[in-house]
């Protein structure tokens, strides 16, 4: 049965990695209508998604990440007056560097510096303003923390290029490199990129987002972005993909995407997830933005269990604890002598 569907182009080979272009959630929906026929296939897809996709080492500036050894934590340094959770707190170079040092001391593996808020309803920022905010901060953090990879959160080619000249190693573009000039700039800079999924633009993206099948559509749109990148000279091996939690998605869309996050592994690129302090966590817990660290850590843990290779967070110590517990449980060996790999001493 799987072979028949493969014949219809459901699976496409790329090198030795098979890419499923239709997600398990679509099949799950069909299986409700046609339970007997499709159920075994959804289980097959679940098993496929649960497979350890062995990703090659991923280089970001001074560090090479082996995500098979565990996820990386990206700490957020927002140098904006209006970010939704920390706007206005780190707007001087000194405050931003001090915050960066705290995040790294707490266990951040890399830092993401942003000079434009992308919260729902945010207005775009002029290039000059964004440059003034991020360039001196990246320069100062690069000098203070030379071994720490730096990402710049921008969708503007000029900001990307000046940020890389100032010491950034990764371009994090929440618009998914949809601007051809940005894509060409990333290729010319020769740095890796994060391609995030977003419907529309921040000012309007939360006005009743509609999907027929959020997982399939996000998967498909990310695959298209990856193919556009490959055609322009940006290999998939240099890209992180991100479902864009909160970007043109309802609370239910976000929760369902996280539930089925494993489907994204089928894109053949490491998955980055940013849930930190976002509104959907407030909807679930009833907590205001400043009291969402616990909810954020739980969602980061779920994302990692779903196969995320990197989580983008504000609350690094809480996230580190959550990930340490996930790891300890997931690798627990102490089930008694029957379970011991080596005989007890
Ligand atoms: N979320 C935000 C910003 N950048 N980048 C990626 N790759 N993934 C995300 O989920 C993501 C992101 C929004 O969070 P924050 O930076 O805290 O807020 P603001 O956009 O208001 O500055």
């Amino acid at each position: 049965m799987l072979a028949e569907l493969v014949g219809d182009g459901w699976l496409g080979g790329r090198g030795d990695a098979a890419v499923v272009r239709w997600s398990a959630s679509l099949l799950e929906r069909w299986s409700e209508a046609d339970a007997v026929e499709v159920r075994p296939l959804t289980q097959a897809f679940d098993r496929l998604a649960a497979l350890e996709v062995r990703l090659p080492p991923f280089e970001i500036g001074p560090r090479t990440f082996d995500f098979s050894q565990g996820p990386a934590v990206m700490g957020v340094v927002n140098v904006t007056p209006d970010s939704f959770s920390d706007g206005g707190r780190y707007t001087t170079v000194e405050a931003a560097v001090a915050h960066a040092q705290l995040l790294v001391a707490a266990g951040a593996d890399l830092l993401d510096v942003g000079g434009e808020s992308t919260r729902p309803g945010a207005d775009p920022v002029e290039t000059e303003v964004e440059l003034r905010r991020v360039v001196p901060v990246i320069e100062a953090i690069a000098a203070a923390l030379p071994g720490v990879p730096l990402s710049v959160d921008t969708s503007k080619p000029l900001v990307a290029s000046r940020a890389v000249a100032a010491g950034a190693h990764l371009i994090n573009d929440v618009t998914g490199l949809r601007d051809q000039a940005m894509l060409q700039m990333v290729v010319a800079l020769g740095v890796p990129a994060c391609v995030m999924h977003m419907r529309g633009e921040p000012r309007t993206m939360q006005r009743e987002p509609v999907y027929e099948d959020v997982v399939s559509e996000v998967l498909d749109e990310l695959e298209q972005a990856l193919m556009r990148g490959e055609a322009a000279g940006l290999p998939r091996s240099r890209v992180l993909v991100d479902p864009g939690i909160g970007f043109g998605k309802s609370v239910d869309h976000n929760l369902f995407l996280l539930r089925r996050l494993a489907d994204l592994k089928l894109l053949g690129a490491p998955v980055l997830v940013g849930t930190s302090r976002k509104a959907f966590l407030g909807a679930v817990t009833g907590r205001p933005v400043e009291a969402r660290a616990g909810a954020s850590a739980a969602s980061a843990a779920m994302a990692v269990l779903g196969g995320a290779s990197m989580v983008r967070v504000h609350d690094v110590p809480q996230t580190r604890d959550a990930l340490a517990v996930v790891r300890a449980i997931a690798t627990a060996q102490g089930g008694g002598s029957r379970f011991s790999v080596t005989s007890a001493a």
Side-chain angles (χ1 to χ4, degrees):
M1 171 128 123
L2 187 58
E4 284 165 29
L5 291 169
V6 172
D8 283 350
W10 282 53
L11 290 171
R14 183 177 295 99
D16 52 4
V19 174
V20 178
R21 292 187 49 92
W22 294 76
S23 75
S25 64
L26 182 69
L27 291 169
E28 189 174 288
R29 211 187 53 217
W30 282 4
S31 71
E32 279 157 19
D34 196 8
V36 180
E37 269 297 286
V38 187
R39 182 60 68 188
L41 193 62
T42 71
Q43 286 164 358
F45 269 83
D46 280 343
R47 280 199 298 278
L48 192 62
L51 278 180
E52 274 314 309
V53 179
R54 207 176 157 84
L55 295 162
F58 196 96
E59 219 176 285
I60 308 179
R63 256 191 83 174
T64 301
F65 290 89
D66 179 358
F67 297 125
S68 66
Q69 296 302 304
V73 173
M74 171 187 259
V76 179
V77 181
N78 277 327
V79 287
T80 54
D82 57 342
S83 284
F84 78 95
S85 80
D86 54 358
R89 291 186 59 185
Y90 314 111
T91 47
T92 66
V93 173
E94 294 70 31
V97 172
H99 184 57
Q101 284 169 321
L102 270 182
L103 293 176
V104 170
D109 298 296
L110 72 166
L111 299 169
D112 187 37
V113 179
E116 176 177 44
S117 173
T118 48
R119 72 183 193 289
D123 281 321
V125 165
E126 292 294 323
T127 304
E128 280 308 313
V129 174
E130 197 178 329
L131 283 171
R132 265 202 308 279
R133 288 178 185 168
V134 298
V135 170
V137 167
I138 289 173
E139 260 167 13
I141 296 177
L145 297 163
V148 177
L150 296 181
S151 155
V152 61
D153 189 343
T154 188
S155 43
K156 299 189 183 73
L158 188 61
V159 177
S161 111
R162 296 275 172 81
V164 168
H169 311 101
L170 172 84
I171 310 299
N172 174 24
D173 181 4
V174 297
T175 66
L177 303 178
R178 64 169 88 132
D179 170 15
Q180 195 61 20
M182 182 61 161
L183 176 55
Q184 278 162 4
M185 180 57 83
V186 170
V187 172
L189 291 168
V191 292
C194 175
V195 170
M196 201 195 78
H197 179 271
M198 169 163 58
R199 278 270 171 95
E201 33 132 8
R203 211 164 40 80
T204 53
M205 66 189 176
Q206 290 308 101
R207 289 187 199 150
E208 293 186 36
V210 175
Y211 297 85
E212 194 187 333
D213 176 342
V214 69
V215 178
S216 293
E217 289 167 48
V218 167
L219 200 57
D220 221 45
E221 286 165 36
L222 283 174
E223 173 66 15
Q224 282 167 29
L226 287 169
M227 283 174 13
R228 258 192 301 112
E230 284 173 326
L234 177 65
R236 196 173 291 243
S237 58
R238 248 195 278 141
V239 178
L240 299 158
V241 290
D242 185 330
I245 298 298
F247 287 86
K249 284 133 196 141
S250 69
V251 171
D252 287 339
H253 293 143
N254 291 321
L255 294 171
F256 198 81
L257 266 172
L258 287 166
R259 180 182 154 207
R260 300 242 43 133
L261 193 70
D263 288 17
L264 264 68
K265 283 195 280 181
L266 300 163
L267 291 166
V271 175
L272 164 58
V273 175
T275 56
S276 191
R277 300 182 183 171
K278 287 185 178 169
F280 81 104
L281 297 173
V284 172
T285 62
R287 293 196 180 275
V289 69
E290 65 280 6
R292 293 181 191 154
S296 300
S299 61
M302 281 298 286
V304 165
L305 283 172
S309 293
M310 190 181 288
V311 285
R312 179 184 181 277
V313 305
H314 302 86
D315 303 293
V316 173
Q318 294 88 337
T319 307
R320 273 280 165 227
D321 285 357
L323 298 190
V325 173
V326 164
R327 189 183 181 87
I329 295 172
T331 58
Q333 297 289 329
S337 57
R338 187 182 292 172
F339 299 93
S340 298
V341 180
T342 53
S343 58

Coordinates of all heavy atoms in Angstrom, one line a residue, residues 85-157:
S85 N 8.2 40.5 25.1 CA 8.4 40.1 26.4 C 9.6 40.8 27.1 O 9.6 40.9 28.4 CB 8.7 38.6 26.5 OG 10.0 38.3 26.1
D86 N 10.5 41.4 26.4 CA 11.7 42.0 27.0 C 12.1 43.3 26.3 O 13.2 43.8 26.5 CB 12.9 41.1 27.0 CG 13.2 40.5 25.6 OD1 12.4 40.9 24.6 OD2 14.1 39.8 25.4
G87 N 11.1 43.9 25.6 CA 11.4 45.2 24.9 C 11.9 46.3 25.9 O 11.4 46.4 27.0
G88 N 12.9 47.0 25.4 CA 13.4 48.1 26.2 C 14.4 47.8 27.3 O 14.9 48.6 28.0
R89 N 14.6 46.5 27.6 CA 15.5 46.1 28.7 C 17.0 46.1 28.4 O 17.8 46.3 29.3 CB 15.1 44.7 29.3 CG 13.7 44.8 29.9 CD 13.3 43.5 30.5 NE 14.2 43.1 31.6 CZ 14.1 41.9 32.2 NH1 13.2 41.1 31.9 NH2 15.0 41.6 33.2
Y90 N 17.3 45.9 27.1 CA 18.7 45.7 26.8 C 19.1 46.6 25.6 O 19.7 46.2 24.6 CB 19.1 44.3 26.5 CG 18.5 43.3 27.5 CD1 17.5 42.4 27.1 CD2 18.9 43.3 28.8 CE1 16.9 41.6 28.0 CE2 18.4 42.4 29.7 CZ 17.4 41.6 29.3 OH 16.8 40.7 30.3
T91 N 18.7 47.9 25.7 CA 18.9 48.8 24.5 C 20.2 49.5 24.5 O 20.6 50.1 23.5 CB 17.7 49.8 24.4 OG1 17.5 50.4 25.7 CG2 16.4 49.2 24.0
T92 N 21.0 49.5 25.6 CA 22.3 50.0 25.5 C 23.3 48.8 25.2 O 23.0 47.7 25.6 CB 22.8 50.7 26.8 OG1 22.9 49.7 27.8 CG2 21.8 51.8 27.2
V93 N 24.4 49.2 24.6 CA 25.4 48.1 24.3 C 25.8 47.4 25.6 O 25.9 46.2 25.7 CB 26.6 48.7 23.6 CG1 27.7 47.7 23.4 CG2 26.2 49.3 22.2
E94 N 26.1 48.2 26.7 CA 26.5 47.6 27.9 C 25.5 46.6 28.5 O 25.8 45.5 28.9 CB 26.8 48.6 29.0 CG 27.9 49.6 28.7 CD 27.6 50.5 27.5 OE1 26.4 50.9 27.4 OE2 28.6 50.9 26.8
A95 N 24.2 47.0 28.5 CA 23.2 46.1 29.0 C 23.0 44.9 28.2 O 22.8 43.8 28.7 CB 21.8 46.9 29.0
A96 N 23.1 45.0 26.8 CA 23.0 43.9 26.0 C 24.2 42.9 26.2 O 23.9 41.7 26.2 CB 23.0 44.3 24.5
V97 N 25.4 43.4 26.3 CA 26.5 42.5 26.5 C 26.4 41.8 27.9 O 26.6 40.6 28.0 CB 27.9 43.3 26.5 CG1 29.0 42.4 26.9 CG2 28.1 43.8 25.0
A98 N 26.0 42.5 28.9 CA 25.8 41.9 30.2 C 24.8 40.8 30.2 O 25.0 39.7 30.8 CB 25.5 43.0 31.3
H99 N 23.7 41.1 29.5 CA 22.7 40.1 29.3 C 23.2 38.8 28.6 O 22.9 37.7 29.0 CB 21.4 40.7 28.6 CG 20.3 39.7 28.5 ND1 19.7 39.2 29.6 CD2 19.6 39.2 27.5 CE1 18.7 38.4 29.3 NE2 18.6 38.4 27.9
A100 N 23.9 39.1 27.5 CA 24.5 38.0 26.7 C 25.4 37.1 27.6 O 25.4 35.9 27.6 CB 25.3 38.6 25.5
Q101 N 26.2 37.8 28.4 CA 27.1 37.0 29.3 C 26.3 36.2 30.3 O 26.7 35.0 30.6 CB 28.1 38.0 30.0 CG 29.2 38.5 29.1 CD 30.0 39.6 29.7 OE1 29.4 40.5 30.3 NE2 31.3 39.6 29.4
L102 N 25.3 36.7 30.8 CA 24.4 36.0 31.8 C 23.8 34.7 31.1 O 23.8 33.6 31.6 CB 23.2 36.8 32.2 CG 23.5 37.7 33.5 CD1 22.2 38.4 33.9 CD2 23.9 36.7 34.7
L103 N 23.3 34.9 29.8 CA 22.7 33.8 29.1 C 23.7 32.7 28.9 O 23.4 31.5 29.0 CB 22.1 34.3 27.8 CG 20.9 35.3 27.8 CD1 20.6 35.7 26.4 CD2 19.7 34.6 28.5
V104 N 24.9 33.1 28.5 CA 26.0 32.1 28.2 C 26.4 31.4 29.5 O 26.5 30.2 29.5 CB 27.2 32.7 27.5 CG1 28.4 31.8 27.4 CG2 26.8 33.2 26.1
A105 N 26.5 32.2 30.6 CA 26.9 31.5 31.9 C 25.8 30.6 32.3 O 26.1 29.5 33.0 CB 27.1 32.6 32.9
A106 N 24.6 30.8 31.9 CA 23.5 29.9 32.3 C 23.3 28.7 31.4 O 22.5 27.9 31.6 CB 22.2 30.7 32.3
G107 N 24.1 28.7 30.3 CA 24.1 27.5 29.5 C 23.6 27.7 28.0 O 23.4 26.7 27.3
A108 N 23.5 29.0 27.6 CA 23.2 29.2 26.2 C 24.4 28.8 25.3 O 25.5 29.1 25.6 CB 22.8 30.6 25.9
D109 N 24.1 28.0 24.2 CA 25.1 27.6 23.3 C 25.4 28.6 22.2 O 26.5 28.7 21.7 CB 24.7 26.3 22.6 CG 24.5 25.2 23.5 OD1 25.4 24.7 24.2 OD2 23.3 24.7 23.7
L110 N 24.4 29.4 21.9 CA 24.6 30.5 20.9 C 23.6 31.6 21.3 O 22.6 31.4 22.1 CB 24.5 30.0 19.5 CG 23.1 29.6 18.9 CD1 23.2 29.5 17.4 CD2 22.6 28.3 19.5
L111 N 23.8 32.8 20.6 CA 22.9 33.9 20.9 C 22.3 34.4 19.7 O 22.9 34.4 18.6 CB 23.7 35.0 21.6 CG 24.4 34.6 22.9 CD1 25.3 35.7 23.4 CD2 23.3 34.4 24.0
D112 N 21.0 34.9 19.8 CA 20.3 35.5 18.6 C 20.0 37.0 18.9 O 19.3 37.3 19.9 CB 19.0 34.7 18.4 CG 18.3 35.1 17.2 OD1 18.9 35.4 16.2 OD2 17.0 35.2 17.2
V113 N 20.7 37.8 18.2 CA 20.5 39.3 18.4 C 19.5 39.9 17.4 O 19.6 39.7 16.2 CB 21.9 40.0 18.3 CG1 21.7 41.5 18.5 CG2 22.9 39.4 19.2
G114 N 18.5 40.5 18.0 CA 17.4 41.1 17.1 C 17.2 42.6 17.3 O 17.2 43.0 18.5
G115 N 17.0 43.3 16.2 CA 16.8 44.8 16.4 C 15.4 45.2 15.8 O 15.2 46.4 15.6
E116 N 14.6 44.2 15.5 CA 13.2 44.5 15.0 C 12.2 43.6 15.7 O 12.4 42.4 15.5 CB 13.2 44.4 13.5 CG 11.8 44.7 13.0 CD 11.7 44.6 11.5 OE1 12.3 43.7 10.8 OE2 11.0 45.5 10.9
S117 N 11.3 44.1 16.4 CA 10.3 43.2 17.0 C 9.4 42.6 15.8 O 9.0 43.4 14.9 CB 9.4 44.0 17.9 OG 8.3 43.1 18.4
T118 N 9.1 41.3 16.0 CA 8.2 40.7 15.0 C 6.9 40.2 15.7 O 6.2 39.4 15.1 CB 8.9 39.5 14.3 OG1 9.5 38.7 15.3 CG2 10.0 40.0 13.4
R119 N 6.7 40.8 16.8 CA 5.4 40.4 17.6 C 4.2 40.8 16.7 O 4.3 41.7 15.9 CB 5.4 41.1 18.9 CG 5.0 42.6 18.8 CD 5.0 43.4 20.0 NE 4.4 44.7 19.8 CZ 5.0 45.7 19.1 NH1 6.2 45.5 18.6 NH2 4.3 46.8 18.9
P120 N 3.1 40.1 16.9 CA 1.9 40.4 16.1 C 1.6 41.9 16.2 O 1.6 42.4 17.3 CB 0.8 39.5 16.8 CG 1.6 38.4 17.4 CD 2.9 38.9 17.8
G121 N 1.3 42.5 15.1 CA 0.9 43.9 15.1 C 2.1 44.9 15.0 O 1.9 46.1 14.8
A122 N 3.4 44.3 15.1 CA 4.5 45.3 15.0 C 4.7 45.9 13.7 O 4.5 45.3 12.6 CB 5.8 44.5 15.4
D123 N 5.1 47.2 13.7 CA 5.4 47.9 12.4 C 6.8 47.6 12.0 O 7.7 47.4 12.9 CB 5.2 49.4 12.6 CG 3.7 49.8 12.6 OD1 3.0 49.2 11.7 OD2 3.3 50.6 13.4
P124 N 7.1 47.6 10.7 CA 8.5 47.4 10.3 C 9.4 48.5 10.8 O 8.9 49.6 11.0 CB 8.4 47.3 8.8 CG 7.0 47.4 8.4 CD 6.2 47.7 9.6
V125 N 10.7 48.2 10.9 CA 11.7 49.2 11.3 C 12.5 49.6 10.1 O 12.9 48.8 9.3 CB 12.5 48.6 12.5 CG1 13.8 49.4 12.8 CG2 11.7 48.4 13.7
E126 N 12.9 50.9 10.1 CA 13.8 51.4 9.0 C 15.2 50.6 9.1 O 15.6 50.4 10.2 CB 14.1 52.9 9.1 CG 12.9 53.7 8.9 CD 12.4 53.7 7.4 OE1 13.3 53.6 6.6 OE2 11.2 53.7 7.2
T127 N 15.8 50.4 7.9 CA 17.1 49.7 7.9 C 18.1 50.4 8.8 O 18.8 49.8 9.6 CB 17.6 49.7 6.4 OG1 16.6 49.0 5.7 CG2 18.9 48.9 6.4
E128 N 18.1 51.8 8.7 CA 19.1 52.6 9.4 C 19.0 52.3 10.9 O 19.9 52.2 11.7 CB 19.0 54.0 9.1 CG 19.7 54.4 7.8 CD 21.1 54.0 7.7 OE1 21.9 54.2 8.7 OE2 21.5 53.4 6.7
V129 N 17.7 52.3 11.3 CA 17.4 52.2 12.8 C 17.9 50.8 13.2 O 18.6 50.6 14.3 CB 15.9 52.4 13.1 CG1 15.6 52.1 14.5 CG2 15.5 53.8 12.7
E130 N 17.5 49.8 12.5 CA 17.9 48.4 12.8 C 19.4 48.2 12.9 O 20.0 47.6 13.8 CB 17.3 47.4 11.8 CG 17.2 46.0 12.4 CD 16.6 45.0 11.4 OE1 15.7 45.4 10.6 OE2 17.0 43.8 11.4
L131 N 20.1 48.8 11.9 CA 21.6 48.8 11.9 C 22.2 49.4 13.1 O 23.1 48.9 13.7 CB 22.1 49.5 10.6 CG 22.0 48.8 9.3 CD1 22.4 49.7 8.1 CD2 22.9 47.6 9.3
R132 N 21.6 50.6 13.5 CA 22.2 51.3 14.7 C 22.0 50.4 15.9 O 22.8 50.5 16.9 CB 21.4 52.6 14.9 CG 22.2 53.8 14.3 CD 21.7 55.1 14.9 NE 20.3 55.4 14.9 CZ 19.6 55.8 13.9 NH1 20.2 56.1 12.7 NH2 18.3 56.0 14.0
R133 N 20.9 49.7 16.0 CA 20.6 48.9 17.1 C 21.5 47.6 17.2 O 22.1 47.3 18.3 CB 19.2 48.4 17.1 CG 18.2 49.5 17.4 CD 16.7 48.9 17.3 NE 15.7 49.9 17.5 CZ 14.4 49.8 17.2 NH1 14.0 48.6 16.8 NH2 13.6 50.8 17.4
V134 N 21.6 46.9 16.1 CA 22.3 45.6 16.2 C 23.8 45.6 16.0 O 24.5 44.8 16.6 CB 21.6 44.5 15.3 CG1 20.2 44.3 15.7 CG2 21.8 44.8 13.8
V135 N 24.3 46.4 15.1 CA 25.7 46.3 14.7 C 26.7 46.5 15.9 O 27.5 45.7 16.2 CB 26.1 47.2 13.5 CG1 27.6 47.3 13.3 CG2 25.4 46.7 12.2
P136 N 26.5 47.6 16.7 CA 27.4 47.8 17.8 C 27.3 46.7 18.9 O 28.3 46.3 19.5 CB 27.0 49.1 18.4 CG 26.0 49.7 17.5 CD 25.5 48.7 16.6
V137 N 26.1 46.2 19.0 CA 25.9 45.1 20.0 C 26.6 43.8 19.6 O 27.2 43.1 20.4 CB 24.3 44.9 20.3 CG1 24.1 43.6 21.0 CG2 23.8 46.1 21.0
I138 N 26.4 43.5 18.3 CA 27.1 42.3 17.8 C 28.6 42.4 17.9 O 29.3 41.5 18.4 CB 26.7 42.0 16.3 CG1 25.2 41.5 16.4 CG2 27.6 40.9 15.7 CD1 24.6 41.3 15.0
E139 N 29.1 43.6 17.6 CA 30.6 43.8 17.7 C 31.0 43.6 19.1 O 32.0 42.9 19.4 CB 30.9 45.2 17.3 CG 31.4 45.4 15.9 CD 31.5 46.8 15.4 OE1 31.3 47.7 16.2 OE2 31.6 47.0 14.2
A140 N 30.3 44.2 20.0 CA 30.7 44.1 21.5 C 30.5 42.7 22.0 O 31.4 42.2 22.8 CB 29.8 45.1 22.3
I141 N 29.5 42.0 21.6 CA 29.3 40.6 22.1 C 30.4 39.7 21.5 O 31.0 38.9 22.2 CB 27.9 40.0 21.8 CG1 26.8 40.8 22.6 CG2 27.8 38.6 22.3 CD1 25.4 40.4 22.3
A142 N 30.7 39.9 20.2 CA 31.7 39.1 19.6 C 33.1 39.3 20.3 O 33.8 38.3 20.5 CB 31.8 39.4 18.1
A143 N 33.3 40.5 20.7 CA 34.6 40.8 21.4 C 34.6 40.2 22.8 O 35.6 39.6 23.3 CB 34.9 42.3 21.5
A144 N 33.4 40.3 23.5 CA 33.4 39.8 24.9 C 33.3 38.3 25.0 O 33.7 37.7 26.0 CB 32.2 40.4 25.6
L145 N 32.6 37.6 24.0 CA 32.4 36.2 24.0 C 32.8 35.6 22.7 O 32.0 35.1 21.9 CB 30.9 35.9 24.3 CG 30.3 36.4 25.6 CD1 28.7 36.5 25.5 CD2 30.7 35.5 26.7
P146 N 34.2 35.5 22.5 CA 34.7 35.1 21.2 C 34.3 33.7 20.7 O 34.2 33.4 19.5 CB 36.2 35.4 21.3 CG 36.5 35.5 22.7 CD 35.2 35.9 23.4
G147 N 34.1 32.8 21.7 CA 33.8 31.4 21.2 C 32.4 31.1 21.0 O 32.0 30.0 20.7
V148 N 31.5 32.1 21.2 CA 30.1 31.9 21.2 C 29.5 32.3 19.8 O 29.6 33.4 19.3 CB 29.4 32.7 22.3 CG1 27.9 32.5 22.2 CG2 29.9 32.3 23.6
P149 N 28.9 31.3 19.1 CA 28.3 31.6 17.8 C 27.1 32.7 18.0 O 26.4 32.6 18.9 CB 27.7 30.3 17.3 CG 28.3 29.3 18.1 CD 28.7 29.9 19.4
L150 N 27.1 33.6 17.0 CA 26.1 34.7 17.1 C 25.2 34.6 15.9 O 25.7 34.5 14.7 CB 26.8 36.1 17.1 CG 27.7 36.3 18.3 CD1 28.3 37.7 18.2 CD2 26.8 36.2 19.6
S151 N 23.9 34.8 16.1 CA 22.9 34.8 15.0 C 22.4 36.2 15.0 O 22.3 36.9 16.0 CB 21.9 33.8 15.4 OG 20.6 34.1 14.8
V152 N 22.0 36.7 13.8 CA 21.3 38.0 13.7 C 19.9 37.7 13.2 O 19.7 37.0 12.3 CB 22.0 39.0 12.9 CG1 22.2 38.5 11.4 CG2 21.3 40.3 12.9
D153 N 18.9 38.2 13.9 CA 17.5 38.0 13.6 C 17.0 39.2 12.7 O 16.7 40.3 13.2 CB 16.7 38.0 15.0 CG 15.2 37.6 14.8 OD1 14.7 37.6 13.7 OD2 14.6 37.2 15.8
T154 N 17.1 39.0 11.4 CA 16.7 40.1 10.5 C 16.2 39.5 9.2 O 16.5 38.4 8.9 CB 18.0 41.0 10.2 OG1 17.5 42.1 9.5 CG2 19.0 40.2 9.4
S155 N 15.4 40.3 8.5 CA 15.0 39.9 7.2 C 15.5 40.9 6.1 O 15.0 40.9 5.0 CB 13.5 39.8 7.1 OG 12.9 40.8 7.8
K156 N 16.5 41.8 6.5 CA 17.0 42.8 5.6 C 18.4 42.4 5.2 O 19.3 42.2 6.0 CB 17.0 44.1 6.3 CG 15.6 44.6 6.7 CD 15.7 46.1 7.2 CE 14.3 46.6 7.6 NZ 14.0 46.0 8.9
P157 N 18.7 42.4 3.8 CA 20.0 42.0 3.3 C 21.1 42.9 3.9 O 22.2 42.4 4.2 CB 19.9 42.1 1.8 CG 18.4 42.4 1.5 CD 17.7 42.6 2.7

